[in-house]
C-alpha cells in the first residue's frame, strides 16, 4: 500500500507493505539480548490456586505474566525522564510517529581501551537539514547483536561532543544498536544522554533515545522514513519497534 506523507514540509511517498524492522524481538529466557547485570525477561503462565494459565496444562487459554526491564533487555525508547527526578513519560514525548531519518554505519575509534563514536565520525552524514532522526549502526555488524550479553563488555558509546552536535542539529530521535549511548561504567555522568537532551540548557522534552536496535546488513545506509511504534505504557522507557521505509519519491 502506497502512502503519501507530509513531513518537514515535504511530500514523501513510501510503500507500507515493505517495512524494514530494526527492532529486536523480546523473548523469554537467555536467548534475549541483555545488559546492566540483570536477569532475562521471564514469561510464565499465571497461577491462581489450582489453575495454571497454559493450554498445555489444561487451561482453555494461555494467560501469561511478563517480567521485563526495558532498559536492559531489548529495543526500547526513553525520554529525559530516564535521568530526571520529575516524571517524563515516553508517550508524552511524541506528537506524531513518522519522521525523516538517516541510517549511517560508523566504525568506532579505539581510544584508551574504549570504542568511541566521536563528532567527526557522524557530522559529515548530516548534510540534509530535514533529517529529524538518526539511526547509528556500529561496525562490525552481525546478527549476534540479537542475542548478545553486553554486561561487562564496555560497548561502543557516543562522546559528549557528538551528542551535543546532534542536539544542535535538531535531531529529535536518536537510535543506536548498543545498550546505551553512554559508556557502560562512567560513574553516573551520563554525558551523552545529558548533552543530547540539553540538560544544562533548555531540556528537550520531546527528544528520545532508542537503544538496542539491530539494522541488518541488507538495509543500506540511506535516507528513510522512520515510524516509531511504542508500547502504550506510562514510563520513562518502554519497549519499542522502530520501522524504516524506503522513500519512493519526495517533492
Amino acid at each position: 500500500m502506497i502512502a503519501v506523507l507530509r513531513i518537514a514540509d515535504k511530500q514523501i511517498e513510501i510503500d507500507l507493505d515493505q517495512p524494514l524492522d530494526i527492532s529486536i524481538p523480546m523473548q523469554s529466557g537467555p536467548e534475549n539480548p541483555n545488559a546492566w547485570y540483570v536477569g532475562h525477561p521471564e514469561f510464565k503462565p499465571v497461577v491462581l490456586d489450582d489453575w495454571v494459565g497454559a493450554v498445555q496444562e489444561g487451561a482453555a487459554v494461555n494467560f501469561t505474566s511478563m517480567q521485563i526491564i526495558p532498559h536492559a533487555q531489548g529495543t526500547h525508547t526513553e525520554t529525559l525522564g530516564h535521568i530526571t527526578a520529575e516524571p517524563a513519560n515516553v508517550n508524552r514525548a511524541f506528537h506524531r510517529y513518522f519522521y525523516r531519518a538517516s541510517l549511517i554505519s560508523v566504525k568506532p575509534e579505539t581510544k584508551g581501551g574504549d570504542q568511541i563514536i566521536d563528532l567527526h565520525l557522524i557530522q559529515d552524514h548530516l548534510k540534509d537539514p530535514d533529517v529529524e532522526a538518526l539511526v547509528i549502526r556500529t561496525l562490525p555488524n552481525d546478527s549476534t547483536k540479537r542475542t548478545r550479553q553486553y554486561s561487562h563488555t564496555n560497548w561502543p558509546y557516543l562522546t559528549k561532543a557528538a551528542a551535543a552536535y546532534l542536539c544542535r542539529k535538531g535531531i529529535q530521535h536518536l537510535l543506536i544498536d548498543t545498550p546505551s549511548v553512554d559508556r557502560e561504567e562512567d560513574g553516573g555522568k551520563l554525558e551523552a544522554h545529558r548533552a543530547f537532551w540539553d540538560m544544562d540548557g533548555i531540556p528537550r522534552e520531546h527528544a528520545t533515545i532508542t537503544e538496542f536496535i539491530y539494522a541488518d546488513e541488507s538495509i543500506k545506509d540511506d535516507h528513510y522514513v522512520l515510524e516509531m511504534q511504542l508500547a502504550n505504557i506510562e514510563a520513562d522507557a518502554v519497549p519499542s519497534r522502530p520501522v524504516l521505509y524506503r522513500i519512493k519519491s519526495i517533492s
Side-chain angles (χ1 to χ4, degrees):
M1 181 174 66
I2 303 301
V4 178
L5 308 175
R6 191 159 192 85
I7 306 174
D9 294 326
K10 298 290 179 64
Q11 186 166 288
I12 303 173
E13 185 180 275
I14 62 173
D15 188 347
L16 294 178
D17 291 327
Q18 297 185 31
L20 302 169
D21 191 341
I22 57 171
S23 69
I24 298 175
M26 184 176 289
Q27 59 183 310
S28 183
E31 291 304 308
N32 200 81
N34 189 276
W36 303 121
Y37 333 115
V38 299
H40 301 285
E42 185 176 7
F43 305 167
K44 60 183 180 180
V46 173
V47 177
L48 300 172
D49 297 326
D50 295 331
W51 183 82
V52 179
V55 173
Q56 287 186 340
E57 299 292 331
V61 296
N62 293 309
F63 193 58
T64 305
S65 170
M66 298 182 180
Q67 180 174 320
I68 64 173
I69 303 173
H71 284 293
Q73 297 169 337
T75 308
H76 63 278
T77 298
E78 59 195 33
T79 188
L80 55 74
H82 181 38
I83 60 172
T84 62
E86 302 78 19
N89 295 321
V90 172
N91 284 340
R92 300 177 190 178
F94 288 89
H95 56 87
R96 55 184 167 89
Y97 299 92
F98 288 88
Y99 301 89
R100 287 281 305 277
S102 181
L103 167 64
I104 66 173
S105 296
V106 173
K107 183 174 178 57
E109 295 180 332
T110 301
K111 289 188 178 181
D114 287 356
Q115 297 290 308
I116 65 170
I117 303 169
D118 211 346
L119 171 59
H120 70 277
L121 295 179
I122 60 175
Q123 60 186 148
D124 289 341
H125 296 282
L126 291 174
K127 302 299 186 183
D128 186 343
D130 292 330
V131 169
E132 305 167 293
L134 180 66
V135 184
I136 298 176
R137 169 170 50 199
T138 59
L139 300 176
N141 184 62
D142 61 73
S143 61
T144 62
K145 290 178 179 178
R146 293 177 175 272
T147 58
R148 191 172 297 172
Q149 307 302 293
Y150 281 93
S151 295
H152 306 293
T153 63
N154 195 24
W155 53 74
Y157 62 92
L158 263 68
T159 63
K160 179 180 179 180
Y165 174 77
L166 297 179
C167 175
R168 292 195 304 273
K169 291 289 290 186
I171 297 298
Q172 286 294 112
H173 304 291
L174 172 60
L175 300 86
I176 195 168
D177 59 6
T178 62
S180 176
V181 296
D182 273 303
R183 193 177 193 273
E184 181 177 14
E185 297 289 346
D186 70 350
K189 295 177 182 177
L190 296 168
E191 290 183 333
H193 281 88
R194 294 186 60 84
F196 180 74
W197 282 320
D198 199 13
M199 298 305 293
D200 294 324
I202 302 175
R204 301 201 301 156
E205 296 180 354
H206 296 288
T208 68
I209 296 173
T210 299
E211 297 158 335
F212 257 132
I213 66 157
Y214 174 67
D216 186 82
E217 288 295 308
S218 63
I219 308 174
K220 304 304 181 184
D221 287 17
D222 205 345
H223 294 298
Y224 294 89
V225 168
L226 167 70
E227 179 188 9
M228 292 298 296
Q229 299 180 13
L230 306 158
N232 194 7
I233 301 171
E234 293 286 312
D236 71 283
V238 301
S240 60
R241 190 175 192 174
V243 178
L244 297 176
Y245 296 92
R246 294 187 179 92
I247 297 173
K248 296 179 66 66
S249 67
I250 185 168
S251 58

